[in-house]
Amino acid sequence: MISANLSALFYLVSGVLFILALRGLSSPETSRQGNLFGILGMFIAITVTFLSTGSFAAGFIFVLTFILVGGSIGAFIAYRIPMTAMPELVAGFHSLVGLAAVFVAISAFLNPEAFNLGTPGNIKLGSLIEMSIGAAVGAITFSGSVIAFLKLQGIMSGSPIIFKGQHPLNAIILISIIVLIYLLCSSQSSNLFWILLAISFLIGFLLIIPIGGADMPVVISMLNSYSGWAAAGIGFTLENTALIITGALVGSSGAILSYIMCKGMNRSFFNVILGGFGATEDATNSSSKEQRPVKSGNADDAAFLMKNASSVIIVPGYGMAVAQAQHALREMVDTLKKNDIKVSYAIHPVAGRMPGHMNVLLAEANVPYDEVFELEEINNDFANADVAFVIGANDVTNPVAKTDPQSPIYGMPVLDVEKCKSVLFVKRSLSPGYAGIDNDLFYKENTLMLFADAKKMTEDITKNL
């Protein structure tokens, strides 16, 4: 067992490492180093927590067993999971963080003596407030993350689920949670505690079901924030400095990321939380649009246009992730460079299903970071580029975001690929994107549709080059 002062010092060190981890993860070039800082910080925090408990010898085998079991399961899942399913994995892990916060709160409420919080029915007021907030946020995180997982996995429709009186109902439930926390702190009734948990689980479901697929990246970052605040609340209950620091860092960084994502879509954060964004168009409208004439080509046509270009801009999207085409894309780009063709990558803030999805895929294929540009940096370059090669990016290239006030993505900044001299769009079919709407870019005069699997098409283009 180590002293309280020494524990505080090591917790401070782990907190600094967590801050360095976040700083490292803010850039692809330093992300691996950031991960190492985070791992080291967590190792120190866990070790100090073990050494700080009086019953270290008695509980060591018990806790270590669960760490090994849980860690093995997590490592196996992380190793086997494809990049396309990473958003679902993140949502699933967020749900477990929320559930862990709920379980700790239940333990602390039922057995406060074990946590030095008082006795049943006579828990310290400050601890009870922290415990109640942590439990409520944890329950919301769990149920909301489950819905996000089901939508991302395709088990549940990605379209918004909206019913009459939904917003007033959500408002009443949220007010009820605040009232219940006040009453619980006054009476310390176990019945009120269980009711608080039940309606917190309920509001988590109700908050996420009206959110459509196009807003899913914001949902992921928002749930990340929720899980952090839940952990911080429980950290106060446990009087664990490392948990408070970690939770606050995750909560605040998730909130900032949510704001950045909303700004990237020109959306209000509250509109995302309360909205029905991403509604599916009616079948009649979709089918009529698909009957519009399109120009389609093959790998030979695409190779000819690229070979005669001086500059090419690559726009990766979720279709690239599904086909695992990032390595084939890198080979194609290397071939273009050998022919003295300038190549850049354009990344939209919400491309894919989670923040940074495309950046991670390109980094996996060792794409140089100085060739990858965000929307604001590269959008003006499309007008001067010869070819835009869109590989599975649908909603983030849709011109209706700028022209149709009735469109659910109206006002969202999109990549101006239609301004290129030629647009090569790799897609399996004319089906709509995750937002459920048709893409007018398919029918532009300068667009050539390449109907095929993204990986195979890219490999065939490279052979023709």
Side-chain angles (χ1 to χ4, degrees):
M1 185 171 179
I2 61 176
S3 67
N5 288 338
L6 200 55
S7 296
L9 178 61
F10 279 115
Y11 280 147
L12 179 61
V13 171
S14 66
V16 171
L17 287 169
F18 293 144
I19 293 171
L20 292 174
L22 282 176
R23 179 181 174 84
L25 291 170
S26 65
S27 169
E29 290 129 318
T30 56
S31 59
R32 287 187 174 88
Q33 186 183 55
N35 269 321
L36 291 175
F37 281 135
I39 292 169
L40 180 59
M42 187 55 68
F43 177 78
I44 292 172
I46 292 173
T47 304
V48 172
T49 301
F50 263 128
L51 296 175
S52 299
T53 57
S55 56
F56 173 71
F60 178 77
I61 301 298
F62 179 77
V63 176
L64 184 62
T65 300
F66 281 96
I67 287 178
L68 290 174
V69 171
S72 299
I73 294 172
F76 177 77
I77 292 173
Y79 179 76
R80 293 292 301 274
I81 205 80
M83 270 305 302
T84 50
M86 193 59 68
E88 295 96 303
L89 178 68
V90 172
F93 282 173
H94 286 162
S95 73
L96 297 179
V97 174
L99 193 60
V102 172
F103 283 154
V104 173
I106 292 172
S107 301
F109 185 79
L110 296 179
N111 188 17
E113 298 104 317
F115 299 87
N116 298 317
L117 303 179
T119 57
N122 190 30
I123 301 173
K124 298 174 188 175
L125 179 60
S127 299
L128 193 58
I129 293 173
E130 296 155 2
M131 183 193 311
S132 302
I133 294 174
V137 176
I140 293 170
T141 304
F142 171 74
S143 53
S145 297
V146 168
I147 294 297
F149 173 84
L150 295 175
K151 286 194 172 196
L152 289 164
Q153 189 68 19
I155 299 172
M156 182 178 180
S157 171
S159 300
I161 299 174
I162 302 171
F163 55 85
K164 191 174 181 180
Q166 188 174 43
H167 296 332
L169 175 62
N170 289 348
I172 291 171
I173 294 176
L174 288 170
I175 292 170
S176 299
I177 289 175
I178 297 172
V179 173
L180 278 169
I181 291 176
Y182 173 78
L183 294 175
L184 177 62
C185 292
S186 302
S187 65
Q188 302 207 11
S189 166
S190 59
N191 289 333
L192 290 176
F193 180 76
W194 295 115
I195 294 172
L196 172 66
L197 287 181
I199 67 170
S200 296
F201 280 123
L202 176 62
I203 193 63
F205 286 118
L206 294 176
L207 284 174
I208 304 302
I209 59 172
I211 300 177
D215 276 338
M216 209 41 73
V218 178
V219 174
I220 294 295
S221 59
M222 179 191 69
L223 291 170
N224 179 48
S225 179
Y226 287 178
S227 67
W229 296 126
I234 295 304
F236 281 107
T237 301
L238 299 177
E239 297 182 350
N240 187 293
T241 308
L243 194 53
I244 295 170
I245 294 172
T246 307
L249 287 172
V250 172
S252 56
S253 61
I256 292 169
L257 182 58
S258 299
Y259 169 77
I260 292 171
M261 302 298 285
C262 286
K263 186 179 178 183
M265 297 189 301
N266 194 29
R267 299 275 290 162
S268 161
F269 180 76
F270 291 104
N271 284 345
V272 173
I273 301 305
L274 302 174
F277 184 51
T280 306
E281 289 184 325
D282 60 88
T284 305
N285 191 30
S286 293
S287 61
S288 64
K289 284 193 174 184
E290 288 197 7
Q291 292 171 3
R292 292 161 60 185
V294 297
K295 292 193 297 184
S296 62
N298 54 34
D300 189 46
D301 299 324
F304 177 80
L305 285 171
M306 287 189 179
K307 196 182 299 180
N308 290 282
S310 59
S311 62
V312 174
I313 300 178
I314 311 289
V315 182
Y318 187 68
M320 183 188 77
V322 172
Q324 289 290 285
Q326 60 270 28
H327 297 284
L329 182 65
R330 169 67 194 273
E331 290 177 18
M332 185 191 82
V333 169
D334 288 344
T335 305
L336 289 171
K337 287 180 183 175
K338 289 176 183 177
N339 292 320
D340 296 324
I341 298 169
K342 179 186 176 185
V343 182
S344 306
Y345 295 82
I347 304 291
H348 192 281
V350 295
R353 295 289 192 272
M354 64 180 289
H357 202 173
M358 294 302 105
N359 302 74
V360 173
L361 285 173
L362 295 178
E364 184 185 337
N366 294 316
V367 171
Y369 301 124
D370 57 359
E371 295 177 5
V372 181
F373 299 92
E374 299 291 336
L375 180 145
E376 296 87 355
E377 300 173 304
I378 200 169
N379 228 12
N380 292 331
D381 295 346
F382 283 103
N384 301 316
D386 294 311
V387 176
F389 185 72
V390 184
I391 180 166
N394 204 329
D395 299 322
V396 299
T397 61
N398 197 337
V400 299
K402 298 176 286 187
T403 59
D404 184 5
Q406 304 304 314
S407 171
I409 64 170
Y410 180 70
M412 181 179 89
V414 292
L415 293 162
D416 295 331
V417 293
E418 76 275 9
K419 294 182 179 179
C420 272
K421 293 176 184 176
S422 299
V423 178
L424 302 174
F425 206 122
V426 183
K427 205 172 185 298
R428 289 179 180 271
S429 69
L430 291 174
S431 59
Y434 203 50
I437 59 173
D438 203 26
N439 191 344
D440 273 4
L441 183 63
F442 299 161
Y443 314 104
K444 296 286 184 181
E445 185 65 28
N446 59 333
T447 299
L448 186 69
M449 298 299 297
L450 305 173
F451 295 114
D453 173 80
K455 183 178 181 181
K456 186 177 186 309
M457 174 57 72
T458 306
E459 289 172 343
D460 290 343
I461 291 172
T462 305
K463 290 176 185 175
N464 280 281
L465 285 170

